[in-house]
Short mmCIF file of all heavy atoms in Angstrom, two decimals:
data_model
loop_
_atom_site.label_atom_id
_atom_site.label_comp_id
_atom_site.label_asym_id
_atom_site.label_seq_id
_atom_site.Cartn_x
_atom_site.Cartn_y
_atom_site.Cartn_z
N THR A 356 -64.14 1.74 -22.63
CA THR A 356 -64.84 2.40 -23.74
C THR A 356 -63.87 3.36 -24.42
O THR A 356 -62.78 3.61 -23.90
CB THR A 356 -66.09 3.15 -23.21
OG1 THR A 356 -66.87 3.62 -24.31
CG2 THR A 356 -65.74 4.32 -22.31
N ALA A 357 -64.26 3.90 -25.57
CA ALA A 357 -63.38 4.82 -26.29
C ALA A 357 -63.22 6.12 -25.50
O ALA A 357 -64.15 6.60 -24.86
CB ALA A 357 -63.98 5.13 -27.66
N LYS A 358 -62.03 6.69 -25.59
CA LYS A 358 -61.74 8.01 -25.01
C LYS A 358 -62.67 9.05 -25.65
O LYS A 358 -63.01 8.93 -26.83
CB LYS A 358 -60.28 8.31 -25.37
CG LYS A 358 -59.69 9.55 -24.80
CD LYS A 358 -58.19 9.55 -25.06
CE LYS A 358 -57.89 10.07 -26.49
NZ LYS A 358 -56.47 10.28 -26.78
N ASP A 378 -56.50 10.86 -34.10
CA ASP A 378 -56.19 10.35 -35.44
C ASP A 378 -57.50 10.10 -36.18
O ASP A 378 -58.52 9.82 -35.57
CB ASP A 378 -55.43 9.03 -35.34
CG ASP A 378 -54.06 9.22 -34.72
OD1 ASP A 378 -53.42 10.26 -35.01
OD2 ASP A 378 -53.64 8.36 -33.92
N ALA A 379 -57.45 10.16 -37.50
CA ALA A 379 -58.62 9.85 -38.32
C ALA A 379 -58.91 8.34 -38.22
O ALA A 379 -57.98 7.58 -37.96
CB ALA A 379 -58.36 10.22 -39.78
N PRO A 380 -60.13 7.87 -38.48
CA PRO A 380 -61.34 8.67 -38.68
C PRO A 380 -61.88 9.25 -37.37
O PRO A 380 -61.49 8.83 -36.29
CB PRO A 380 -62.31 7.64 -39.27
CG PRO A 380 -61.82 6.31 -38.85
CD PRO A 380 -60.35 6.43 -38.65
N TYR A 381 -62.78 10.22 -37.53
CA TYR A 381 -63.31 10.97 -36.39
C TYR A 381 -64.76 10.57 -36.13
O TYR A 381 -65.54 10.43 -37.08
CB TYR A 381 -63.22 12.48 -36.69
CG TYR A 381 -61.80 12.87 -37.04
CD1 TYR A 381 -61.39 12.89 -38.38
CD2 TYR A 381 -60.87 13.12 -36.05
CE1 TYR A 381 -60.07 13.19 -38.70
CE2 TYR A 381 -59.55 13.43 -36.37
CZ TYR A 381 -59.16 13.45 -37.70
OH TYR A 381 -57.86 13.74 -38.01
N VAL A 382 -65.08 10.35 -34.87
CA VAL A 382 -66.43 9.89 -34.51
C VAL A 382 -67.16 11.02 -33.79
O VAL A 382 -66.74 11.44 -32.71
CB VAL A 382 -66.35 8.64 -33.59
CG1 VAL A 382 -67.76 8.12 -33.28
CG2 VAL A 382 -65.50 7.54 -34.21
N LYS A 384 -70.85 12.24 -32.22
CA LYS A 384 -72.16 11.70 -31.82
C LYS A 384 -73.04 12.80 -31.23
O LYS A 384 -72.65 13.43 -30.24
CB LYS A 384 -71.99 10.61 -30.76
CG LYS A 384 -71.19 9.41 -31.23
CD LYS A 384 -71.16 8.30 -30.20
CE LYS A 384 -70.45 7.08 -30.78
NZ LYS A 384 -70.48 5.94 -29.86
N ILE A 396 -69.14 9.24 -38.83
CA ILE A 396 -67.75 8.78 -38.81
C ILE A 396 -67.09 9.35 -40.06
O ILE A 396 -67.50 9.05 -41.18
CB ILE A 396 -67.68 7.24 -38.75
CG1 ILE A 396 -68.35 6.78 -37.44
CG2 ILE A 396 -66.22 6.75 -38.83
CD1 ILE A 396 -68.35 5.32 -37.17
N LYS A 398 -63.60 10.71 -42.34
CA LYS A 398 -62.19 10.41 -42.59
C LYS A 398 -61.32 11.65 -42.52
O LYS A 398 -60.13 11.57 -42.21
CB LYS A 398 -62.04 9.77 -43.97
CG LYS A 398 -62.66 8.40 -44.06
CD LYS A 398 -62.10 7.60 -45.25
CE LYS A 398 -62.76 6.24 -45.33
NZ LYS A 398 -64.02 6.25 -46.10
N GLU A 426 -65.46 11.03 -30.06
CA GLU A 426 -64.79 9.84 -29.54
C GLU A 426 -63.60 9.44 -30.37
O GLU A 426 -63.59 9.63 -31.59
CB GLU A 426 -65.75 8.64 -29.58
CG GLU A 426 -66.73 8.61 -28.47
CD GLU A 426 -67.56 7.34 -28.47
OE1 GLU A 426 -67.12 6.31 -29.04
OE2 GLU A 426 -68.65 7.38 -27.91
N GLU A 427 -62.69 8.78 -29.73
CA GLU A 427 -61.60 8.10 -30.42
C GLU A 427 -62.22 6.97 -31.24
O GLU A 427 -63.16 6.31 -30.78
CB GLU A 427 -60.68 7.57 -29.32
CG GLU A 427 -59.83 6.41 -29.65
CD GLU A 427 -59.36 5.67 -28.38
OE1 GLU A 427 -60.08 5.66 -27.36
OE2 GLU A 427 -58.28 5.10 -28.45
N PHE A 428 -61.75 6.74 -32.45
CA PHE A 428 -62.27 5.66 -33.30
C PHE A 428 -61.69 4.32 -32.87
O PHE A 428 -60.48 4.19 -32.67
CB PHE A 428 -61.92 5.92 -34.77
CG PHE A 428 -62.39 4.85 -35.70
CD1 PHE A 428 -63.70 4.84 -36.16
CD2 PHE A 428 -61.53 3.83 -36.11
CE1 PHE A 428 -64.15 3.84 -37.02
CE2 PHE A 428 -61.97 2.83 -36.97
CZ PHE A 428 -63.28 2.84 -37.42
N LEU A 429 -62.56 3.33 -32.72
CA LEU A 429 -62.10 1.98 -32.36
C LEU A 429 -62.22 1.09 -33.58
O LEU A 429 -63.28 1.06 -34.23
CB LEU A 429 -62.95 1.42 -31.22
CG LEU A 429 -62.92 2.21 -29.91
CD1 LEU A 429 -63.93 1.63 -28.93
CD2 LEU A 429 -61.52 2.20 -29.31
N ASP A 430 -61.18 0.34 -33.87
CA ASP A 430 -61.17 -0.51 -35.05
C ASP A 430 -61.30 -1.96 -34.59
O ASP A 430 -60.38 -2.50 -33.99
CB ASP A 430 -59.85 -0.29 -35.80
CG ASP A 430 -59.90 -0.90 -37.18
OD1 ASP A 430 -60.99 -1.37 -37.58
OD2 ASP A 430 -58.85 -0.91 -37.85
N GLY A 431 -62.46 -2.56 -34.85
CA GLY A 431 -62.66 -3.94 -34.41
C GLY A 431 -63.95 -4.49 -34.97
O GLY A 431 -64.55 -3.91 -35.86
N ILE A 432 -64.38 -5.62 -34.41
CA ILE A 432 -65.62 -6.25 -34.86
C ILE A 432 -66.66 -6.12 -33.75
O ILE A 432 -66.35 -6.29 -32.57
CB ILE A 432 -65.38 -7.71 -35.33
CG1 ILE A 432 -66.66 -8.30 -35.93
CG2 ILE A 432 -64.82 -8.60 -34.24
CD1 ILE A 432 -66.40 -9.48 -36.88
N GLU A 433 -67.91 -5.78 -34.17
CA GLU A 433 -68.95 -5.48 -33.17
C GLU A 433 -69.86 -6.67 -32.90
O GLU A 433 -70.08 -7.51 -33.76
CB GLU A 433 -69.82 -4.32 -33.68
CG GLU A 433 -69.10 -2.99 -33.63
CD GLU A 433 -69.95 -1.87 -34.21
OE1 GLU A 433 -71.02 -1.59 -33.65
OE2 GLU A 433 -69.53 -1.30 -35.23
N MET A 434 -70.39 -6.70 -31.70
CA MET A 434 -71.43 -7.67 -31.33
C MET A 434 -72.24 -7.06 -30.19
O MET A 434 -71.87 -6.02 -29.67
CB MET A 434 -70.81 -8.98 -30.88
CG MET A 434 -69.96 -8.85 -29.65
SD MET A 434 -69.46 -10.45 -28.97
CE MET A 434 -70.95 -10.96 -28.12
N LYS A 452 -75.22 -10.76 -33.16
CA LYS A 452 -74.58 -9.76 -34.02
C LYS A 452 -75.62 -9.32 -35.03
O LYS A 452 -76.29 -10.16 -35.62
CB LYS A 452 -73.37 -10.37 -34.71
CG LYS A 452 -72.71 -9.46 -35.71
CD LYS A 452 -71.28 -9.90 -35.99
CE LYS A 452 -70.60 -8.99 -37.00
NZ LYS A 452 -70.73 -7.56 -36.74
N ARG A 456 -76.18 -2.09 -41.99
CA ARG A 456 -76.20 -1.34 -43.25
C ARG A 456 -77.17 -1.96 -44.25
O ARG A 456 -77.37 -3.16 -44.26
CB ARG A 456 -74.80 -1.29 -43.88
CG ARG A 456 -73.74 -0.68 -42.99
CD ARG A 456 -74.05 0.77 -42.66
NE ARG A 456 -72.91 1.35 -41.97
CZ ARG A 456 -72.01 2.12 -42.57
NH1 ARG A 456 -72.09 2.39 -43.86
NH2 ARG A 456 -71.02 2.62 -41.86
N PHE A 477 -67.33 -15.64 -32.88
CA PHE A 477 -66.02 -15.20 -32.39
C PHE A 477 -66.01 -14.88 -30.90
O PHE A 477 -64.96 -14.63 -30.33
CB PHE A 477 -65.47 -14.03 -33.21
CG PHE A 477 -66.27 -12.75 -33.13
CD1 PHE A 477 -66.23 -11.95 -32.00
CD2 PHE A 477 -67.05 -12.35 -34.21
CE1 PHE A 477 -66.96 -10.77 -31.93
CE2 PHE A 477 -67.79 -11.17 -34.15
CZ PHE A 477 -67.75 -10.39 -33.00
N PHE A 482 -63.39 -14.66 -24.06
CA PHE A 482 -63.85 -13.30 -24.35
C PHE A 482 -65.11 -12.97 -23.53
O PHE A 482 -65.23 -11.89 -22.95
CB PHE A 482 -64.14 -13.16 -25.86
CG PHE A 482 -64.56 -11.79 -26.28
CD1 PHE A 482 -63.64 -10.75 -26.38
CD2 PHE A 482 -65.90 -11.52 -26.58
CE1 PHE A 482 -64.03 -9.48 -26.75
CE2 PHE A 482 -66.30 -10.24 -26.95
CZ PHE A 482 -65.37 -9.22 -27.04
N LEU A 513 -70.98 -3.89 -28.09
CA LEU A 513 -69.56 -4.10 -27.80
C LEU A 513 -68.75 -4.07 -29.08
O LEU A 513 -69.25 -4.36 -30.16
CB LEU A 513 -69.35 -5.49 -27.21
CG LEU A 513 -70.02 -5.83 -25.89
CD1 LEU A 513 -69.80 -7.31 -25.59
CD2 LEU A 513 -69.44 -4.97 -24.78
N ILE A 514 -67.47 -3.77 -28.91
CA ILE A 514 -66.53 -3.92 -30.02
C ILE A 514 -65.33 -4.68 -29.49
O ILE A 514 -64.90 -4.47 -28.35
CB ILE A 514 -66.17 -2.55 -30.65
CG1 ILE A 514 -65.37 -2.72 -31.94
CG2 ILE A 514 -65.46 -1.65 -29.66
CD1 ILE A 514 -65.35 -1.47 -32.81
N LYS A 515 -64.86 -5.65 -30.29
CA LYS A 515 -63.71 -6.45 -29.89
C LYS A 515 -62.49 -5.90 -30.60
O LYS A 515 -62.42 -5.92 -31.83
CB LYS A 515 -63.98 -7.91 -30.29
CG LYS A 515 -62.86 -8.86 -29.99
CD LYS A 515 -63.33 -10.29 -30.31
CE LYS A 515 -62.15 -11.21 -30.53
NZ LYS A 515 -62.54 -12.59 -30.81
N VAL A 516 -61.57 -5.37 -29.81
CA VAL A 516 -60.34 -4.80 -30.36
C VAL A 516 -59.17 -5.57 -29.74
O VAL A 516 -59.04 -5.58 -28.51
CB VAL A 516 -60.22 -3.29 -30.01
CG1 VAL A 516 -58.96 -2.70 -30.64
CG2 VAL A 516 -61.45 -2.51 -30.46
N ASN A 517 -58.35 -6.21 -30.54
CA ASN A 517 -57.24 -7.06 -30.05
C ASN A 517 -57.70 -8.03 -28.95
O ASN A 517 -57.09 -8.14 -27.91
CB ASN A 517 -56.11 -6.21 -29.48
CG ASN A 517 -55.56 -5.26 -30.51
OD1 ASN A 517 -55.51 -5.60 -31.70
ND2 ASN A 517 -55.18 -4.07 -30.08
N ASN A 518 -58.84 -8.66 -29.19
CA ASN A 518 -59.40 -9.63 -28.25
C ASN A 518 -59.89 -9.04 -26.93
O ASN A 518 -60.15 -9.78 -25.99
CB ASN A 518 -58.41 -10.77 -28.00
CG ASN A 518 -59.13 -12.09 -27.88
OD1 ASN A 518 -60.23 -12.26 -28.42
ND2 ASN A 518 -58.55 -13.02 -27.14
N GLU A 519 -59.97 -7.71 -26.86
CA GLU A 519 -60.46 -7.08 -25.63
C GLU A 519 -61.82 -6.43 -25.92
O GLU A 519 -61.97 -5.77 -26.95
CB GLU A 519 -59.49 -5.98 -25.15
CG GLU A 519 -58.05 -6.42 -24.93
CD GLU A 519 -57.92 -7.50 -23.87
OE1 GLU A 519 -58.68 -7.46 -22.89
OE2 GLU A 519 -57.07 -8.39 -24.05
N PRO A 520 -62.79 -6.58 -25.01
CA PRO A 520 -64.09 -5.94 -25.24
C PRO A 520 -64.15 -4.49 -24.75
O PRO A 520 -63.66 -4.18 -23.65
CB PRO A 520 -65.05 -6.80 -24.42
CG PRO A 520 -64.22 -7.33 -23.31
CD PRO A 520 -62.79 -7.41 -23.79
N LEU A 521 -64.72 -3.61 -25.55
CA LEU A 521 -65.00 -2.23 -25.13
C LEU A 521 -66.46 -1.94 -25.44
O LEU A 521 -67.04 -2.54 -26.35
CB LEU A 521 -64.13 -1.22 -25.89
CG LEU A 521 -62.64 -1.24 -25.60
CD1 LEU A 521 -61.91 -2.02 -26.67
CD2 LEU A 521 -62.08 0.18 -25.57
N VAL A 522 -67.04 -1.01 -24.69
CA VAL A 522 -68.45 -0.67 -24.91
C VAL A 522 -68.55 0.47 -25.92
O VAL A 522 -67.90 1.50 -25.78
CB VAL A 522 -69.14 -0.23 -23.59
CG1 VAL A 522 -70.59 0.17 -23.86
CG2 VAL A 522 -69.09 -1.36 -22.57
N ILE A 523 -69.37 0.24 -26.95
CA ILE A 523 -69.68 1.30 -27.92
C ILE A 523 -70.87 2.10 -27.43
O ILE A 523 -70.91 3.31 -27.49
CB ILE A 523 -69.99 0.69 -29.32
CG1 ILE A 523 -68.74 0.10 -29.95
CG2 ILE A 523 -70.66 1.70 -30.22
CD1 ILE A 523 -67.90 1.07 -30.75
N ASP A 657 -69.20 -11.88 -42.76
CA ASP A 657 -67.90 -11.52 -42.20
C ASP A 657 -67.42 -12.52 -41.16
O ASP A 657 -66.39 -12.31 -40.51
CB ASP A 657 -67.98 -10.12 -41.58
CG ASP A 657 -69.15 -9.99 -40.59
OD1 ASP A 657 -70.06 -10.86 -40.61
OD2 ASP A 657 -69.14 -9.04 -39.79
#
Side-chain angles (χ1 to χ4, degrees):
T356 188
K358 185 170 83 172
D378 294 322
Y381 305 93
V382 183
K384 298 186 175 184
I396 298 182
K398 292 199 181 86
E426 280 186 23
E427 156 201 30
F428 179 82
L429 299 174
D430 193 6
I432 185 158
E433 288 177 63
M434 62 170 282
K452 175 160 180 48
R456 302 299 188 100
F477 64 74
F482 182 75
L513 298 174
I514 189 162
K515 177 174 159 179
V516 182
N517 301 326
N518 217 26
E519 304 299 325
L521 292 99
V522 178
I523 290 272
D657 52 344

